Amino acid sequence: MRISVIGCGYLGAVHATCMAELGHEVVGIDVDENKVAELAAARAPFFEPGLEALLKKVQTTGRLTFTTDMSAAKGSSVHFICVGTPQKKGENGADMSYVDAATRTLLPYLSADDIVVGKSTVPVGTAARLHEVVQSAEPSAELLWNPEFLREGHAVSDTLQPDRLVYGVLSGAEDHPAVHLLDQVYAAPLETGTPRLVMDLPTAELVKTAANSFLATKISFINAMAELCDAAGADVTLLADAIGMDSRIGRQFLNAGIGFGGGCLPKDIRAFMARAGELGADQALAFLREVDSINMRRRVRVVELTRELCGGSLLGQRITVLGAAFKPESDDVRDSPALSIAAQLQLQGAVVTVTDPEALANAARRFPDLNYVNSTDSALQRADAVLLLTEWQDYRDLDPYVTAALVSTPRILDGRNVLNSTKWRTAGWKYRGLGRP
Ligand code: UGA
């Protein structure tokens, strides 16, 4: 099939590449010339495991092209909208200008019976509104909502083998021709048994925001338990293991630490609350405010614990922060708790050095005043305290004896509770976890 993918960021670049891998002829369209040039040269413009190799592989087939020219969408029968919906500046709501602009710019290139398929995370009600916009330009075209659930760091496999496919259609009816067209796009995952759910447009939009809100709630729940464990002298990692063995609860997303960040969870719960307010249902999501504040409290807590670890004052303390990305296997620093803690420590008088295997360039753009060092060993030299804030495997694997020889004082704060505390203490380190005695 001929497919256009509009927006080539973390979502669209992966989607375009994976759709070409599934055998379709794909054009990726983005307004950012640099991004398009990189992708056209089969270079991933961001770090995502497996993406560059797949880009190179599919580009040799000639099935994948990239351009800034929207007219290239003409001739495709399926158009995916994959642009961002960031938080509005100074407000909780989502900035819909990119989705609106992408849809509007596409309109002149729609042909009869095309489908426009939204994948971006949007406030409920957007799809119905855009459906009218699409049909005003091309009455036989249909707009569907097909939310994306990929995780950064696992984006390629999440796209090629998704947990489930959700299709929102205006009628909610499974026998709509647009549903059959989208089934052809996803023929490969459907053949291998991926469940596919067809529903109305608002439900499909809500599936995505509800899923992210649930994940955020799960993380904040365990972080609230970590606060309690700290107060009671208990261990939140053992608590999570034990409650997670109940299959109704499950162990995933119960890792207590410095909290969630990234370009999705924080802004999605805020946009969800804002939208609920507009719909007169703000009480229903009042708990998400608490989820957000538990999460933001983690960052303050780590700054306080670091002060304690350093003997009561941060002034002039040389602190090494391991990790800048919002999570491992990503170079994304949007709302990264690690970076926000690093910046706060620096503001409070510490001398902060940040290292990360992939995210330093992005981090330096966002917080240019922090000191960045590429090599872990150099970053650790003469540290008065070490903070493990993004759990890259390299940091999990650090040897406490070798590391002790590099630093000035062996103190470590394990912001993700991933180190073996006994091993580090035995090697002479003053170890602090979060919610661990
Ligand atoms: C999230 C969702 O997991 C995806 O399903 C969704 O498609 C995506 O948002 C999106 O809306 O596009 P992502 O932002 O890539 O994916 O990252 P997650 O793996 O969800 O992690 C989010 C944050 O939670 C990270 O900062 C991570 O370190 C933190 N986290 C995760 C914890 O603090 N504890 C945990 O147990 C798990």
Side-chain angles (χ1 to χ4, degrees):
M1 298 189 71
R2 291 188 68 181
I3 292 176
S4 74
V5 175
I6 298 146
C8 295
Y10 284 98
L11 163 59
V14 175
H15 192 67
T17 310
C18 289
M19 291 305 103
E21 166 69 1
L22 293 183
H24 304 300
E25 198 175 309
V26 182
V27 57
I29 305 171
D30 199 289
V31 291
D32 182 335
E33 283 177 13
N34 292 332
K35 204 177 277 175
V36 164
E38 288 290 289
L39 287 163
R43 282 191 298 267
F46 49 86
F47 177 76
E48 178 61 46
L51 176 60
E52 196 155 291
L54 193 62
L55 257 174
K56 287 190 168 39
K57 179 183 164 209
V58 291
Q59 284 214 344
T60 58
T61 66
R63 287 199 301 268
L64 180 62
T65 53
F66 291 95
T67 177
T68 54
D69 181 3
M70 187 64 97
S71 70
K74 193 157 183 62
S76 293
S77 43
V78 181
H79 309 273
F80 285 103
I81 306 278
C82 295
V83 294
T85 51
Q87 188 172 343
K88 273 190 214 157
K89 294 225 176 339
E91 281 177 56
N92 271 350
D95 177 355
M96 295 304 295
S97 58
Y98 304 102
V99 170
D100 289 344
T103 313
R104 247 192 340 268
T105 325
L106 171 67
L107 296 179
Y109 308 109
L110 290 178
S111 309
D113 302 320
D114 279 6
I115 58 171
V116 178
V117 185
K119 292 196 79 67
S120 311
T121 303
V122 293
V124 58
T126 304
R129 177 171 62 78
L130 294 179
H131 192 273
E132 279 184 23
V133 173
V134 164
Q135 290 212 327
S136 66
E138 176 49 66
S140 67
E142 188 70 26
L143 179 127
L144 284 83
W145 216 262
N146 169 223
E148 180 54 60
F149 304 102
L150 67 79
R151 301 158 296 167
E152 286 176 29
H154 305 268
V156 171
S157 56
D158 283 353
T159 307
L160 291 173
Q161 295 111 28
D163 289 346
R164 74 292 207 192
L165 289 161
V166 168
Y167 301 0
V169 202
L170 188 70
S171 64
E174 204 157 334
D175 58 3
H176 196 285
V179 169
H180 300 308
L181 203 54
L182 199 51
D183 277 349
Q184 288 174 50
V185 173
Y186 293 126
L190 288 171
E191 265 164 33
T192 56
T194 303
R196 175 270 252 159
L197 294 135
V198 180
M199 56 193 72
D200 54 78
L201 292 173
T203 308
E205 290 167 306
L206 281 173
V207 167
K208 176 58 189 276
T209 30
N212 276 3
S213 298
F214 188 81
L215 295 172
T217 304
K218 211 171 169 191
I219 300 168
S220 276
F221 173 83
I222 203 64
N223 281 328
M225 293 304 112
E227 286 185 23
L228 226 67
C229 286
D230 267 338
D235 188 332
V236 74
T237 57
L238 297 174
L239 176 97
D241 289 345
I243 64 172
M245 281 175 191
D246 182 332
S247 60
R248 293 169 305 172
I249 296 174
R251 180 62 178 84
Q252 285 186 43
F253 271 67
L254 281 185
N255 296 320
I258 63 172
F260 58 82
C264 302
L265 263 44
K267 65 105 177 155
D268 285 352
I269 60 169
R270 291 172 195 152
F272 203 15
M273 282 186 274
R275 185 64 184 137
E278 288 167 5
L279 294 169
D282 42 345
Q283 268 197 323
L285 297 189
F287 73 97
L288 286 180
R289 203 184 310 276
E290 199 53 42
V291 167
D292 203 355
S293 66
I294 292 168
N295 192 51
M296 297 315 280
R297 249 190 343 255
R298 303 309 290 163
R299 304 178 185 191
V300 180
R301 171 89 182 127
V302 171
V303 173
E304 287 320 310
L305 274 178
T306 311
R307 195 194 315 281
E308 265 176 40
L309 197 63
C310 291
S313 170
L314 288 169
L315 282 179
Q317 293 289 312
R318 286 185 303 267
I319 298 193
T320 298
V321 169
L322 301 176
F326 84 105
K327 69 173 192 181
E329 302 302 324
S330 172
D331 65 356
D332 194 347
V333 298
R334 288 176 293 172
D335 206 354
S336 164
L339 266 187
S340 113
I341 289 163
Q344 193 48 237
L345 290 167
Q346 169 132 320
L347 277 176
Q348 297 200 23
V351 181
V352 181
T353 298
V354 181
T355 187
D356 188 285
E358 297 292 340
L360 290 190
N362 285 343
R365 269 191 288 275
R366 200 152 283 228
F367 288 97
D369 293 339
L370 289 167
N371 179 34
Y372 298 101
V373 170
N374 263 315
S375 119
T376 311
D377 281 6
S378 313
L380 287 164
Q381 295 287 342
R382 297 175 57 236
D384 295 312
V386 178
L387 271 52
L388 194 168
L389 299 187
T390 312
E391 69 278 33
W392 287 93
Q393 195 61 43
D394 287 0
Y395 306 150
R396 290 168 174 259
D397 292 344
L398 281 174
D399 181 287
Y401 291 96
V402 175
T403 312
L406 298 171
V407 300
S408 164
T409 320
R411 301 167 176 147
I412 188 153
L413 192 152
D414 179 4
R416 299 289 188 170
N417 290 336
V418 290
L419 300 176
N420 179 329
S421 55
T422 312
K423 210 167 124 189
W424 282 73
R425 286 193 175 116
T426 309
W429 287 77
K430 189 168 179 185
Y431 170 95
R432 278 304 312 245
L434 297 180
R436 296 174 100 179

